[in-house]
Amino acid sequence: MKVDVLLGLQWGDEGKGKIVDVLTPNYDVITRFQGGPNAGHTLEFNGEKYVLRSIPSGIFQGGKVNVIGNGVVIDPLLFKLEAEALAASGHDLTKRLLISKKAHLILPTHRMLDAANEAAKGDSKIGTTGKGIGPTYTDKVSRNGVRVGDILENFEEKYAKAKGKHETMLKALNYDYDITELEKEWMEGIEFLKKFTFIDSEHQINNYLKEEKSVLAEGAQGTMLDIDFGSYPFVTSSNTVCAGACTGLGIAPNKIGDVYGIFKAYCTRVGSGPFPTELFDETGEKMCDIGHEFGSVTGRRRRCGWIDLVALKYAIMVNGVTQLIMMKSDVLDTFDTIKACIAYDIDGKETEEFPFEINDNVKPVYVDLPGWQTDMTKMQSENEFPEEFNQYVSFLEDQLQTPIKIVSVGPDRDQTIIRYTEED
Ligand code: GDP
Ligand code: IMO
Ligand code: MG
């Protein structure tokens, strides 16, 4: 068996949580491979709404195994709050959530360093989620990190050593902080984490594949936030692309199966950084209002704009996307005209190739498509799609040269339409 990967093609918040939950019945194992509590993955079903941060979105559909892979960074305190809230709502995970010993821990001082680094950047701050993501991955790469497996042996010593280094850095940045209370709660988080099974996840996942078990890897963030291929430096600190599933789980590239690329019918971004198709007018406001575009975790207003096919083609290329999933189509239900950016005008020259950097010189070149002006939220099958919507889908498939297999028409699990082709 192979590992199928589902990942975001834009700047995050595409609706990954919802679709992982929808696809979960087709898999035996669901696993996260990168990121950490910077993620906020929303699921809605049976009138309930859940937001997951570090825990895979496969926990709600009948006793599947869920794995937090080595590429993930874990804040034990936030993990405890997340798992306790789930247990209180009847979803106890201690027996079916496995955690890689090689996953790195986000220390309280990592959070402080995140805040201090942002403060030091002033106007050019990244607008991080403030969860300590950058400093934790920095420690991993500079070989100073503390891992989940370290909890089992000489933990106090390892923790104190890392904390000492961070304190020196925070002093150099003149950053005032007090982590007394946070550290106490964080240590309770460490005790809580011990209730879970720590595994050598690379062995375990490869064994699942040998046993013919199907595995789905759930990406966090999106390709435009990838540390290598995103809008650097306004990115997160991990590889959000498909290759990240190999390093974040310990599977070989030839063990990757389908790659589901998920995108919104328009585009959003939260935090700072370039966004060529961003709208600053009432059309953008309308998208934000109808799409409820506010961060699932931070509550920050998301910037909104038209779909960017230059960026999407690039994302499809670097991920090897085999199937597309289009989300939030319903948000455009009342628009007269839909615009799609098909090229960038850079200093008077048009290109369809994603450039080294997207800066103020990049101007989107749009085509206009007719809106469908029909409420799609109650539709159950593609046979009900209005003609203009079919036109939009065909236009995107033609541009992106990849089939759109799923269309989402609302936040609920049931508002999901699978499209069938002759091969199905
Ligand atoms: P993720 O981080 O990729 O899992 O996405 P988020 O959960 O951060 O953001 C997606 C938001 O859109 C959530 O509030 C979802 O409930 C909501 N959502 C998902 N799919 C749809 C859809 O098709 N239509 C609408 N209107 N909302 C959706
Ligand atoms: P999900 O998985 C949207 C953004 C932050 C910031 C940048 C770096 O829900 O799609 P970080 O805290 O990672 O150092 O912040 O990345 N960001 C996200 N934006 N969705 C996310 O996750 C994000 N995770 C990080 O806003 O611009
Ligand atoms: Mg999100």
Side-chain angles (χ1 to χ4, degrees):
M1 288 294 268
K2 298 204 167 180
V3 176
D4 291 342
V5 183
L6 181 141
L7 43 80
L9 299 180
Q10 297 164 320
W11 275 284
D13 301 330
E14 296 90 350
K16 299 175 289 292
K18 168 180 164 164
I19 297 297
V20 168
D21 171 63
V22 166
L23 296 177
T24 293
N26 306 340
Y27 292 91
D28 300 306
V29 181
I30 317 296
T31 169
R32 278 274 305 267
F33 58 89
Q34 46 69 232
N38 47 349
H41 294 183
T42 315
L43 295 83
E44 290 190 35
F45 53 90
N46 302 338
E48 310 255 7
K49 178 171 167 172
Y50 298 90
V51 180
L52 299 175
R53 301 167 78 168
S54 302
I55 294 172
S57 302
I59 50 167
F60 296 106
Q61 300 252 37
K64 307 288 172 148
V65 176
N66 284 262
V67 178
I68 296 184
N70 59 278
V72 174
V73 289
I74 302 179
D75 181 324
L77 169 55
L78 296 179
F79 174 84
K80 175 171 179 271
L81 297 175
E82 189 177 337
E84 280 177 345
L86 287 166
S89 60
H91 304 281
D92 181 49
L93 304 174
T94 36
K95 294 273 175 314
R96 54 202 180 90
L97 178 66
L98 311 173
I99 305 176
S100 171
K101 286 184 208 159
K102 293 196 170 83
H104 279 244
L105 292 172
I106 304 177
L107 272 48
T109 36
H110 281 134
R111 264 205 240 178
M112 299 302 126
L113 280 168
D114 195 354
N117 290 338
E118 283 283 85
K121 280 180 186 276
D123 284 348
S124 52
K125 70 173 186 192
I126 290 161
T128 72
T129 57
K131 299 293 178 290
I133 303 297
T136 307
Y137 279 116
T138 302
D139 270 354
K140 173 177 176 173
V141 175
S142 65
R143 298 160 290 191
N144 290 309
V146 185
R147 300 183 292 177
V148 167
D150 291 325
I151 295 175
L152 304 172
E153 216 180 303
N154 298 334
F155 179 65
E156 300 290 322
E157 203 181 297
K158 290 170 188 164
Y159 173 80
K161 194 170 162 200
K163 180 183 162 188
K165 282 196 176 133
H166 297 162
E167 283 175 328
T168 312
M169 290 156 80
L170 287 160
K171 207 166 167 200
L173 286 162
N174 274 329
Y175 190 76
D176 270 342
Y177 63 97
D178 178 4
I179 53 163
T180 324
E181 192 54 30
L182 177 63
E183 191 174 42
K184 193 172 141 266
E185 290 175 9
W186 190 89
M187 286 298 176
E188 287 164 13
I190 290 287
E191 286 311 307
F192 181 82
L193 210 54
K194 289 181 186 166
K195 292 184 188 173
F196 290 79
T197 310
F198 299 164
I199 57 166
D200 295 304
S201 58
E202 63 279 30
H203 289 296
Q204 190 113 350
I205 289 170
N206 281 290
N207 284 338
Y208 287 141
L209 298 179
K210 274 190 212 142
E211 293 161 11
E212 293 294 309
K213 292 209 164 93
S214 50
V215 180
L216 176 65
E218 171 181 4
Q221 292 78 54
T223 302
M224 301 316 295
L225 290 170
D226 179 88
I227 184 73
D228 282 282
F229 301 107
S231 48
Y232 192 86
F234 299 99
V235 292
T236 190
S237 296
S238 65
N239 277 121
T240 63
V241 293
C242 186
C246 293
T247 55
L249 296 176
I251 49 162
N254 65 359
K255 292 280 172 12
I256 299 285
D258 260 316
V259 181
Y260 304 109
I262 181 164
F263 66 100
K264 285 179 189 173
Y266 50 102
C267 195
T268 65
R269 160 161 220 173
V270 60
S272 331
F275 179 3
T277 59
E278 182 169 16
L279 291 167
F280 299 94
D281 56 7
E282 60 210 28
T283 308
E285 296 267 309
K286 185 172 163 182
M287 278 178 193
C288 182
D289 292 347
I290 301 179
H292 302 293
E293 293 296 356
F294 295 90
S296 323
V297 173
T298 58
R300 288 184 293 174
R301 191 180 174 90
R302 297 180 186 140
R303 302 153 62 192
C304 293
W306 295 115
I307 198 162
D308 180 343
L309 300 180
V310 179
L312 267 183
K313 278 183 197 166
Y314 179 71
I316 290 169
M317 176 184 81
V318 296
N319 288 301
V321 171
T322 58
Q323 304 191 16
L324 289 167
I325 302 174
M326 182 160 80
M327 307 301 289
K328 301 192 97 163
S329 314
D330 55 296
V331 174
L332 301 182
D333 279 354
T334 57
F335 287 64
D336 302 335
T337 304
I338 315 275
K339 286 182 184 288
C341 163
I342 51 160
Y344 290 159
D345 177 325
I346 305 176
D347 299 325
K349 263 194 160 172
E350 258 187 42
T351 178
E352 289 178 27
E353 196 159 290
F354 195 77
F356 168 62
E357 264 181 339
I358 38 175
N359 50 33
D360 290 347
N361 296 352
V362 173
K363 305 275 179 272
V365 177
Y366 289 114
V367 290
D368 287 1
L369 294 124
W372 43 93
Q373 311 239 39
T374 311
D375 178 358
M376 291 188 63
T377 55
K378 293 185 188 62
M379 291 187 182
Q380 293 290 310
S381 120
E382 62 176 323
N383 299 331
E384 297 171 69
F385 287 169
E387 184 45 37
E388 293 82 356
F389 183 74
N390 281 330
Q391 266 178 37
Y392 189 53
V393 170
S394 302
F395 169 77
L396 295 179
E397 288 188 322
D398 187 46
Q399 287 277 322
L400 302 172
Q401 290 294 298
T402 317
I404 298 178
K405 297 290 268 203
I406 300 179
V407 167
S408 176
V409 293
D412 196 272
R413 188 190 272 171
D414 293 336
Q415 292 172 299
T416 313
I417 300 173
I418 314 284
R419 295 181 71 230
Y420 292 95
T421 55
E422 277 162 24
E423 295 139 43
D424 303 313

